Amino acid sequence: MVKYVLASLMLFLLLSESRAQVLAPFCPDRVLDRPVIDGKLSETAWSDAEVLNSFLQFYPLIGGRPSQPTEVRILYDDFAIYIGIVGHDSTPDGIIATGLERDVYYSSDDHICITLDTYNDKRQAILISSNVLGARFDEEVFDNGNGFNSAYNTFWNVVTHRDEAGYSMEFQIPFSSLRFQQADEVVMAIKVLRYIKRQNEYDAFPATDPTVANAVWRVNNAQPIVFKNLRTKRPLYFTPYARANYQQSKSWSSDLGKVFRESEFIKRNHFITNRIADKFISNIGFDVKYGISKNFTLDATVNTDFAQAETDNRIFNFTRFAINLPEKRNFFLESKDYLGFTTGSGVLLFNSRTIGIERGNVIPIIGGVRVSGKSYGLQLGFLDLQTSGMHALNIDPQHFSVLRLRKEIWGNGSYVGGIITNRLSTSGHSVNNQVIGFDAMKRFKDNRWIASVNLGVSNDKQRKSDVGGKVMGNFNLFRVATLGYNHTSCIEYSGSHFRPQIGFAPDSAYFLFSTSNGYVRKWKNSKYMYLFWFTQTLNYKYRTINRTHESLYAELELGSSNKSGATILVTPLLGREYLPYAWNFTDDIVIPSGYYSYTGVRVRYDSRQTGRLNYSVTSQYNGFYDGNRFNILFNGYYAINRHFRVNYKYEYNSFHWPNTFSGLEQPSFASNLVSLGIAYTQSIHFSIKGLLQYDDISKTIGSNFRLRFNPKEGTDLYVVYNPRVNTQFNMEDRDRILMVDQQTIIIKFTRAFAL
């Protein structure tokens, strides 16, 4: 398998060079007097600046003329880039603006997105966005627009202005907030996107081929811009924090007929033995960000804090395999692409959730460093952290190290790279694990075709095995396009003892093959529909340890959409699966080992994208291990006005099996999951958010209430309250029907100082 993957790698590395469209560089005007950021573009420098207006409609009329004209002007000095946007609108009353909160991407509003490829590497960039109300959002873009990191934050400013002709915006982006290759002529690349909500219209500058896949967000079709003779400073930010917290848990003893309470005010991390001093140092800490150069940034952290992190979304997992919950802690999300190593099937050689979270417990992080950046096409990410131990839970203190390298080749976002990870116990011998990985990706034929290869070898001192059992490898081939033919295929092997303990691998000991082929076209002479498509998918898995054909799965997706974004999909599916062991699905229902065949159908409808109400409904009915399963999922949002927004989700599952699977007369199982999020935003500086989640498996309501006061960039006050309500009915203890059995209150203040 390894030989096959290496041979495939050599084959695609020899393929022809990319023939992507080349755009001539643009030189913006350098100014002596810094413009006033008031949203009006009234200074002479704006009037004299060259107007960039060659926008093209990327959706829904792919390649069409924009319905409203947009103008872009760019200025700069040694301090910042200044970008002025004028969004003309023949119906200004039709502009939709509902959001004010910082760090929320308002797809429900008219807005502007600016993408800056600061290294001009055609692969990664930063994106800053604002709606007409001035709500600010920023994120990292990587993998040529296929990956996003919304936890990214940097220092910049925007002011908006509305009038009878539409709106205007002034963006100020300090060079100290950007990383780039220092030179006499600094070359970056810019892309500007305008979204007109009432028409579900995406217009983008520059006007490039809109039929390639993900044309709106991809990075390699941006406009190169040249800045000359920059004299910028290296950034240095010191961000201390302090917090206060209170935790309480309750439990009811039926034998004693009373409630037992445990509470703690100002949580300890047990860094030292003195109780008072430990409470103090456990609840203060700081981060330091220093620009080693304009290319590389050093981040240092002491007593890393995650107090403002959101709770995990509850999900149902009715498979035999583990699932990986998404990371929500900002420290690990920042510079995510510099450390990431993901394979085609979702195996991660580095998964940040292995740090500071173990067996469901939050483990204190004493501190560490991270270095990230890029120079002459070599991208580097390095992370080194030390966690504290928890003696009561038999969890040793552990040391985590990651080194990730990626070298760009051919100048179109292609690369070769590698990763080394290390995780070991610094007291005791419970963990000693290392992983070495290699990957490469090649883009060719106008970036529609992409090939990639991933290899990994783990070394776990707790598991002895031959080298073949510790290896994983895969080869992936993609063709992606907005219109026309699409293809995906993957071949993967995983050894029986492949264990990346600083990563995530939901399965091992298998050979996997998957492929999909599809085609997207426009409807001809249709007043209502715009695009239609079909996609065929086939997945096959062979289990190497018992030499069985474990699963074969096939589906055919048929879809259609109109210009408003409303979409309907119908997907017939069938498959066959071998269950290698008796599976205790519940305490009363046991699914026997053996082969099972099934058929089914999935239907999905997405509402139009042109209003304040957005929803999606998915329903599926299929066979499930000689029984059947019915599932329905309903989710979406409603932007009530500029102050209130509601997000909602409901999921229902119902299972039925033959009587032989259980001692019950009619074996069945049903579950419900409800999630409701409410956000109130008083201004761009103040917001309150609440999230309620209930499922009838745990029979609890999980809650997260968060107040945020953000008077200026880098200064934040958070007040977080997390109660859990036990809803299980107990006839003998009626006064315990709705008991808050766990609750946490956290107050945190942080401020960044520019030094």
Side-chain angles (χ1 to χ4, degrees):
M1 177 62 192
V2 175
K3 292 181 180 179
Y4 172 79
V5 174
L6 289 174
S8 301
L9 168 65
M10 297 302 298
L11 176 63
F12 84 77
L13 289 178
L14 295 174
L15 292 171
S16 62
E17 299 298 326
S18 170
R19 299 180 306 217
Q21 178 180 356
V22 178
L23 299 171
F26 166 73
C27 297
D29 292 342
R30 176 189 276 272
V31 294
L32 297 177
D33 297 324
R34 188 176 302 175
V36 177
I37 307 302
D38 58 7
K40 297 180 180 180
L41 281 72
S42 54
E43 290 89 351
T44 302
W46 288 121
S47 302
D48 295 341
E50 183 176 346
V51 177
L52 308 175
N53 55 12
S54 57
F55 279 74
L56 189 69
Q57 188 173 155
F58 279 49
Y59 193 87
L61 298 178
I62 300 172
R65 184 177 180 179
S67 64
Q68 307 291 338
T70 309
E71 299 175 357
V72 180
R73 295 171 174 85
I74 305 175
L75 307 171
Y76 76 101
D77 58 18
D78 283 337
F79 173 71
I81 305 171
Y82 308 95
I83 302 173
I85 308 289
V86 178
H88 297 281
D89 202 307
S90 58
T91 313
D93 292 340
I95 295 173
I96 298 176
T98 65
L100 289 166
E101 186 180 357
R102 176 71 162 99
D103 294 328
V104 173
Y105 177 64
Y106 285 106
S107 60
S108 58
D109 291 2
D110 285 58
H111 63 267
I112 294 289
C113 291
I114 297 173
T115 300
L116 277 176
D117 178 0
T118 59
Y119 288 104
N120 192 31
D121 60 15
K122 299 176 174 55
R123 184 181 179 276
Q124 63 183 26
I126 67 163
L127 181 148
I128 62 175
S129 175
S130 175
N131 64 3
V132 183
L133 298 175
R136 290 172 295 178
F137 173 79
D138 44 21
E139 67 180 351
E140 289 178 313
V141 182
F142 50 91
D143 193 19
N144 197 23
N146 292 306
F148 299 89
N149 173 20
S150 59
Y152 171 83
N153 277 309
T154 192
F155 292 89
W156 58 282
N157 189 26
V158 63
V159 178
T160 64
H161 174 72
R162 293 184 67 172
D163 55 34
E164 64 279 0
Y167 61 86
S168 57
M169 299 182 181
E170 277 184 295
F171 293 84
Q172 180 189 61
I173 310 168
F175 282 108
S176 61
S177 296
L178 306 176
R179 288 189 283 196
F180 53 88
Q181 184 70 53
Q182 188 74 58
D184 291 338
E185 291 190 350
V186 175
V187 182
M188 301 186 187
I190 189 171
K191 187 172 183 177
V192 180
L193 168 71
R194 180 182 180 183
Y195 181 56
I196 304 173
K197 176 64 176 178
R198 66 182 182 273
Q199 297 172 186
N200 192 36
E201 179 178 335
Y202 289 88
D203 301 328
F205 166 86
T208 57
D209 184 359
T211 65
V212 296
N214 200 29
V216 170
W217 303 112
R218 66 191 302 124
V219 176
N220 66 348
N221 58 1
Q223 169 67 54
I225 53 176
V226 178
F227 304 100
K228 298 182 179 181
N229 302 315
L230 288 180
R231 298 293 182 265
T232 61
K233 297 180 179 180
R234 298 178 184 178
L236 173 60
Y237 297 104
F238 175 68
T239 308
Y241 79 86
R243 69 185 175 199
N245 48 72
Y246 172 76
Q247 291 180 309
Q248 183 188 74
S249 61
K250 300 178 183 179
S251 60
W252 171 253
S253 173
S254 299
D255 295 336
L256 299 177
K258 65 177 183 178
V259 175
F260 285 91
R261 293 178 175 86
E262 293 184 4
S263 61
E264 182 179 21
F265 178 65
I266 307 298
K267 183 180 178 181
R268 295 182 59 187
N269 286 342
H270 298 281
F271 292 140
I272 59 178
T273 56
N274 184 281
R275 181 173 175 272
I276 301 300
D278 186 59
K279 282 180 176 286
F280 176 75
I281 66 173
S282 294
N283 290 277
I284 60 172
F286 62 86
D287 295 333
V288 175
K289 182 180 292 290
Y290 174 62
I292 303 173
S293 67
K294 293 308 300 180
N295 307 65
F296 292 95
T297 300
L298 168 69
D299 292 278
T301 180
V302 174
N303 194 20
T304 312
D305 177 67
F306 307 119
Q308 80 277 19
E310 298 179 7
T311 58
D312 289 326
N313 294 328
R314 295 189 183 186
I315 58 175
F316 288 141
N317 179 20
F318 297 117
T319 72
R320 296 181 287 120
F321 306 105
I323 56 175
N324 185 33
L325 295 173
E327 179 63 84
K328 292 191 175 184
R329 300 171 295 176
N330 287 349
F331 178 81
F332 290 115
L333 288 171
E334 187 178 353
S335 302
K336 176 182 177 181
D337 182 51
Y338 287 87
L339 295 165
F341 189 111
T342 305
T343 71
S345 63
V347 175
L348 308 176
L349 296 196
F350 170 60
N351 177 26
S352 60
R353 285 184 66 93
T354 61
I355 304 176
I357 302 176
E358 189 160 349
R359 301 201 296 268
N361 299 288
V362 177
I363 311 299
I365 296 177
I366 298 173
V369 297
R370 177 179 62 216
V371 178
S372 59
K374 180 182 294 186
S375 180
Y376 299 101
L378 177 63
Q379 179 174 305
L380 176 145
F382 172 73
L383 178 71
D384 192 78
L385 289 172
Q386 176 71 42
T387 63
S388 175
M390 299 185 72
H391 180 73
L393 298 174
N394 197 30
I395 296 175
D396 291 335
Q398 296 178 39
H399 195 85
F400 298 81
S401 300
V402 183
L403 174 64
R404 176 73 160 111
L405 297 172
R406 186 184 287 124
K407 181 67 174 72
E408 294 167 1
I409 51 179
W410 295 308
N412 66 346
S414 302
Y415 66 84
V416 295
I419 190 172
I420 300 173
T421 72
N422 180 55
R423 177 178 182 176
L424 55 87
S425 301
T426 54
S427 173
H429 305 282
S430 60
V431 178
N432 191 332
N433 180 268
Q434 296 79 37
V435 173
I436 298 176
F438 168 81
D439 65 338
M441 187 270 288
K442 174 72 170 75
R443 300 181 186 274
F444 50 97
K445 286 194 175 180
D446 293 331
N447 290 277
R448 283 184 171 87
W449 283 95
I450 303 171
S452 69
V453 64
N454 303 274
L455 296 171
V457 180
S458 68
N459 176 42
D460 195 317
K461 295 296 179 64
Q462 278 69 45
R463 294 176 180 269
K464 302 297 182 181
S465 172
D466 57 40
V467 175
K470 300 178 180 180
V471 172
M472 69 78 54
N474 65 24
F475 176 77
N476 308 278
L477 182 66
F478 310 92
R479 187 189 193 275
V480 283
T482 303
L483 293 174
Y485 174 64
N486 288 267
H487 172 82
T488 301
S489 59
C490 172
I491 301 174
E492 180 167 295
Y493 166 80
S494 176
S496 57
H497 292 91
F498 177 67
R499 298 287 189 277
Q501 289 200 26
I502 200 172
F504 175 77
D507 198 7
S508 60
Y510 64 84
F511 171 84
L512 173 71
F513 171 75
S514 65
T515 183
S516 69
N517 297 275
Y519 202 81
V520 184
R521 294 199 62 176
K522 296 180 181 179
W523 285 100
K524 292 183 178 180
N525 304 320
S526 175
K527 295 182 180 180
Y528 305 103
M529 306 307 293
Y530 182 56
L531 298 176
F532 71 93
W533 62 90
F534 64 87
T535 303
Q536 160 271 324
T537 301
L538 178 69
N539 289 280
Y540 168 74
K541 178 183 279 189
Y542 177 78
R543 184 64 62 183
T544 57
I545 53 175
N546 55 12
R547 299 182 179 181
T548 57
H549 304 283
E550 184 162 290
S551 64
L552 180 64
Y553 170 84
E555 68 174 37
L556 177 64
E557 178 183 280
L558 306 171
S560 183
S561 66
N562 62 23
K563 296 176 183 178
S564 72
T567 304
I568 186 167
L569 302 98
V570 179
T571 309
L573 50 92
L574 58 89
R576 179 176 172 84
E577 180 177 352
Y578 176 71
L579 185 63
Y581 53 83
W583 181 19
N584 288 72
F585 191 83
T586 69
D587 292 339
D588 300 314
I589 300 171
V590 179
I591 302 175
S593 172
Y595 279 100
Y596 297 91
S597 300
Y598 60 89
T599 59
V601 62
R602 180 172 61 250
V603 179
R604 173 173 169 173
Y605 174 74
D606 294 335
S607 68
R608 64 187 181 92
Q609 305 296 300
T610 54
R612 297 186 176 190
L613 175 66
N614 177 283
Y615 63 90
S616 174
V617 182
T618 304
S619 181
Q620 180 169 322
Y621 181 84
N622 59 273
F624 191 84
Y625 299 103
D626 274 357
N628 59 72
R629 175 189 180 185
F630 173 72
N631 165 267
I632 188 166
L633 174 64
F634 178 76
N635 63 339
Y637 68 82
Y638 178 42
I640 301 172
N641 54 40
R642 67 175 60 186
H643 297 294
F644 288 96
R645 170 181 292 255
V646 176
N647 296 279
Y648 46 84
K649 173 184 176 181
Y650 172 70
E651 182 178 358
Y652 172 75
N653 286 274
S654 176
F655 300 85
H656 297 274
W657 291 277
N659 294 344
T660 55
F661 283 21
S662 172
L664 302 177
E665 185 175 342
Q666 292 183 333
S668 63
F669 175 81
S671 64
N672 294 272
L673 173 62
V674 182
S675 176
L676 179 66
I678 302 175
Y680 167 73
T681 309
Q682 187 270 332
S683 69
I684 60 175
H685 304 296
F686 181 83
S687 64
I688 300 175
K689 301 175 73 173
L691 175 64
L692 302 174
Q693 300 182 92
Y694 169 78
D695 71 88
D696 57 0
I697 296 179
S698 69
K699 294 182 172 59
T700 61
I701 299 175
S703 308
N704 174 257
F705 300 98
R706 187 175 63 167
L707 178 151
R708 180 184 184 186
F709 178 52
N710 172 229
K712 63 178 183 179
E713 292 290 87
T715 300
D716 278 298
L717 171 67
Y718 288 95
V719 180
V720 183
Y721 177 49
N722 293 326
R724 189 181 76 172
V725 179
N726 179 13
T727 65
Q728 189 168 8
F729 188 85
N730 188 324
M731 290 297 295
E732 296 179 357
D733 307 311
R734 295 187 181 183
D735 58 331
R736 310 289 178 242
I737 294 173
L738 293 175
M739 182 177 68
V740 178
D741 57 358
Q742 294 182 14
Q743 57 183 329
T744 304
I745 301 174
I746 301 169
I747 301 173
K748 175 190 169 186
F749 179 76
T750 181
R751 181 177 178 182
F753 296 90
L755 304 177

